[in-house]
Amino acid sequence: MALKVLSEHRCFEGVQGYYAHASSEIGLDMRFSVFRPPQAESQRVPVVFYLAGLTCTEETFAIKAGAQRAAAELGLMLVCPDTSPRGANVPGEADSWDFGLGAGFYVDATAEPWAKHYRMYSYVTRELPALIAAEFPADPQRQGIFGHSMGGHGALVCALRNPDVFRSVSAFAPICAPTQCPWGQKAFGGYLGADTAAWNRWDAAALVRERAFDGRILIDQGLSDKFLAEQLHPEAFEAACAASGQSLTLRRHGGYDHGYFFIATFVEEHLRHHAAALR
């Protein structure tokens, strides 16, 4: 199908919309959201892709983060895809909250039965940016990416592997070293198979040791995050950046947890980080 408009809503003199299309990478219909700032009525504008975390959808960030006011001021388009394919009907995909539905981990699966549809990496780095540039007044030469938790992992990996596509990157409480944590090991074992050496291509801490990003990476992490010690490992990414000379600002915030009140507190600073890089 062609681009389908699900709904559009006036918001800070721009438009918050929800859309669907038939994805060639995924092989199924995919949904995504777009905030068009008021500047997009007269010109192409920079676009920042946001990758949400486990159990989220294309609606979560738009509803909970409160990002539209700052994006309207800065003239940034915000795009948020869904977090996994829907309707693949893979056996077991709905059995747990941290694998399968709502948990695509932004990788291209190579293990069966996931390889046919679970191709979120190629969807986010190739198909969706091309669709946005074709259907919306976005400037494909000025693209950034950020995300939260599983989506923070995705944003770091997508930017490190595609510096020609994304000129800026940031993350909230990202899964920094998925090969070293239970969430990542479960996802990679299922989607990528038993060859753990192949997992490093999808591990931000491993990637940044080999290829620095041309620009500063911004990460915010709450110190009251219940997932910090076991799942997130920002210290591993910090050490890898120090080893490779990657410019990194890693801010640790006392009292903040893993949720969207934390994201809403700092989202404007992330948008300003992207706006500065995409001028």
Side-chain angles (χ1 to χ4, degrees), residues 25-39:
E25 284 288 354
I26 302 297
L28 298 163
D29 290 352
M30 288 293 290
R31 295 189 177 206
F32 61 93
S33 67
V34 177
F35 173 69
R36 303 197 306 271
Q39 296 86 341

Side-chain angles (χ1 to χ4, degrees), residues 219-244:
I219 294 176
D220 279 307
Q221 175 63 60
L223 294 180
S224 293
D225 188 325
K226 66 181 180 180
F227 302 116
L228 176 57
E230 184 179 30
Q231 303 283 10
L232 304 182
H233 299 304
E235 71 286 348
F237 190 75
E238 188 174 40
C241 286
S244 67

Side-chain angles (χ1 to χ4, degrees), residues 137-196:
D139 182 351
Q141 302 304 313
R142 292 186 292 165
Q143 297 186 144
I145 191 166
F146 68 148
H148 169 232
S149 193
M150 174 186 74
H153 138 76
L156 293 171
V157 168
C158 289
L160 288 166
R161 290 181 56 170
N162 298 273
D164 56 327
V165 177
F166 303 109
R167 286 174 44 188
S168 60
V169 60
S170 69
F172 300 96
I175 303 171
C176 288
T179 61
Q180 301 176 38
C181 75
W183 278 343
Q185 290 163 358
K186 179 178 181 177
F188 289 4
Y191 296 136
L192 305 175
D195 180 9
T196 56

Side-chain angles (χ1 to χ4, degrees), residues 8-21:
E8 292 186 327
H9 315 273
R10 195 70 172 166
C11 181
F12 291 102
E13 303 307 317
V15 178
Q16 177 65 57
Y18 299 94
Y19 309 91
H21 74 116

